[in-house]
């Protein structure tokens, strides 16, 4: 219980979720993997034209995140996918968390009555629904798929998902990959299935990651997609974003940078 006026500060398990650190480049880059902002990578395949990733400076016109204190986003600009949306095409943003950080977070991850909450701001130049998922590779790999809901074009929307534990989840106390957070502008039908269930844990399979995608964003030349304020915290509600000083965030990022 909180007393009147007591502040709530999250323990954000995501590193660089406000995208303040970009040791590799703060300029747009036409390439995949880690090329701009730290700890987040753009992955894509089957594209006719490379997309661009960038650390993007927000302004007061970015209604929603700007007044909450966010000054940067991770910004993806689509290329010209002239051959259309192929079944093997994909484009997604991925953040990887160490297993030991999940194991020692305070989340009773094997209990369905214990929760973590994922929240982030998202904006697309094209109005459509998008999907994301949490992926746990240890043990029998598990997947938790969610949707953003239909986004209004060029409008920031905050997405919040409260996620229960599950008896099949495994996180050891190592520095190996424990959890992937994936937010995707597009997956082709080689990776999707109309029967995929949302908001529940299930066994991972490469061909059933999300429901089938609307291809409008992917087939729109120079469509944009951006996120900021990515937070994963223990508990069943979304608290205010945990802003760290630049020095703190940089020190956390430097552990992974080379």
């Amino acid at each position: 219980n909180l007393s009147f006026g007591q502040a709530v500060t999250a323990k954000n398990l995501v590193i660089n979720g406000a995208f303040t650190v970009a040791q590799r480049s703060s300029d747009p880059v036409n390439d995949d993997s880690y090329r701009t902002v730290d700890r987040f990578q753009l992955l894509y395949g089957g594209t006719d034209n490379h997309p661009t990733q960038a650390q993007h400076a927000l302004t007061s016109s970015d209604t929603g995140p700007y007044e909450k204190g966010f000054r940067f986003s991770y910004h993806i600009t689509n290329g010209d996918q002239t051959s259309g949306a192929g079944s093997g095409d994909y484009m997604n943003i991925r953040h990887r968390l160490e297993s030991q950080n999940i194991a020692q977070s305070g989340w009773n991850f094997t209990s369905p009555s214990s929760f973590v909450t994922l929240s982030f701001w998202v904006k697309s130049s094209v109005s459509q629904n998008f999907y994301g998922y949490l992926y746990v590779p240890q043990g029998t790999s598990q997947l938790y798929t969610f949707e953003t809901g239909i986004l209004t074009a060029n409008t920031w929307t905050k997405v919040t998902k409260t996620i229960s534990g599950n008896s099949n989840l495994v996180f050891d106390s190592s520095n190996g990959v424990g959890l992937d957070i994936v937010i995707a502008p597009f997956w082709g039908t080689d990776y999707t299935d109309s029967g995929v269930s949302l908001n529940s844990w299930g066994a991972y399979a490469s061909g059933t990651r999300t429901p089938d995608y609307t291809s409008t964003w992917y087939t729109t030349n120079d469509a944009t997609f951006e996120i900021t304020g990515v937070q994963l915290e223990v508990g069943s509600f979304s608290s205010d974003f945990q802003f760290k000083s630049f020095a703190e965030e940089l020190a956390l990022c430097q552990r992974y940078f080379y």
Side-chain angles (χ1 to χ4, degrees):
N1 295 328
L2 299 178
S3 61
F4 179 77
Q6 183 177 352
V8 177
T9 301
K11 180 183 178 183
N12 191 2
L13 298 171
V14 171
I15 297 173
N16 203 31
F19 304 107
T20 55
V21 180
Q23 295 181 82
R24 295 166 179 84
S25 176
S26 58
D27 297 322
V29 176
N30 291 102
D31 207 345
D32 65 351
S33 198
Y34 297 104
R35 303 296 179 189
T36 55
V37 297
D38 285 60
R39 304 300 301 126
F40 285 78
Q41 57 185 158
L42 174 66
L43 302 172
Y44 57 85
T47 56
D48 301 306
N49 186 245
H50 293 316
T52 301
Q53 58 172 301
Q55 181 197 47
H56 177 69
L58 302 180
T59 70
S60 58
S61 65
D62 288 290
T63 304
Y66 189 86
E67 52 263 37
K68 297 295 184 180
F70 297 101
R71 293 299 180 264
F72 296 98
S73 69
Y74 189 34
H75 188 283
I76 309 304
T77 303
N78 190 22
D80 185 1
Q81 313 310 338
T82 54
S83 68
S87 62
D89 295 0
Y90 64 91
M91 197 180 302
N92 66 88
I93 297 166
R94 183 172 71 180
H95 177 76
R96 315 197 90 168
L97 289 82
E98 289 184 35
S99 183
Q100 60 190 351
N101 292 345
I102 303 296
Q104 300 169 38
S105 66
W107 180 29
N108 185 8
F109 51 83
T110 59
S111 170
S113 59
S114 184
F115 302 90
V116 289
T117 299
L118 173 68
S119 57
F120 58 92
W121 289 90
V122 59
K123 184 172 80 167
S124 166
S125 63
V126 173
S127 177
Q128 68 168 71
N129 190 24
F130 297 90
Y131 297 102
Y133 59 78
L134 305 185
Y135 167 62
V136 178
Q138 296 182 36
T140 302
S141 300
Q142 298 292 301
L143 193 74
Y144 186 101
T145 304
F146 59 86
E147 63 183 352
T148 63
I150 297 175
L151 303 181
T152 301
N154 300 308
T155 301
W156 283 102
T157 299
K158 187 175 182 182
V159 175
T160 301
K161 300 295 176 181
T162 299
I163 300 151
S164 64
N166 185 277
S167 60
N168 293 316
L169 298 181
V170 177
F171 300 102
D172 63 23
S173 294
S174 74
N175 66 355
V177 176
L179 179 70
D180 284 353
I181 300 173
V182 175
I183 303 168
F186 183 70
W187 286 107
T189 54
D190 285 355
Y191 310 98
T192 68
D193 186 274
S194 60
V196 171
S197 297
L198 298 176
N199 306 317
S200 63
W201 289 102
Y204 168 82
S206 178
T208 55
R209 302 181 194 213
T210 75
D212 294 333
Y213 256 76
T214 299
S215 62
T216 309
W217 186 93
Y218 187 72
T219 56
T220 299
N221 188 27
D222 294 333
T224 60
F225 186 89
E226 57 188 307
I227 59 172
T228 194
V230 184
Q231 180 154 281
L232 183 69
E233 58 190 297
V234 176
S236 57
F237 63 92
S238 173
S239 57
D240 291 342
F241 186 85
Q242 182 188 20
F243 285 100
K244 305 181 186 75
S245 71
F246 182 84
E248 290 175 296
E249 205 75 84
L250 178 62
L252 290 170
C253 291
Q254 284 174 333
R255 181 167 185 268
Y256 303 90
F257 178 81
Y258 60 94

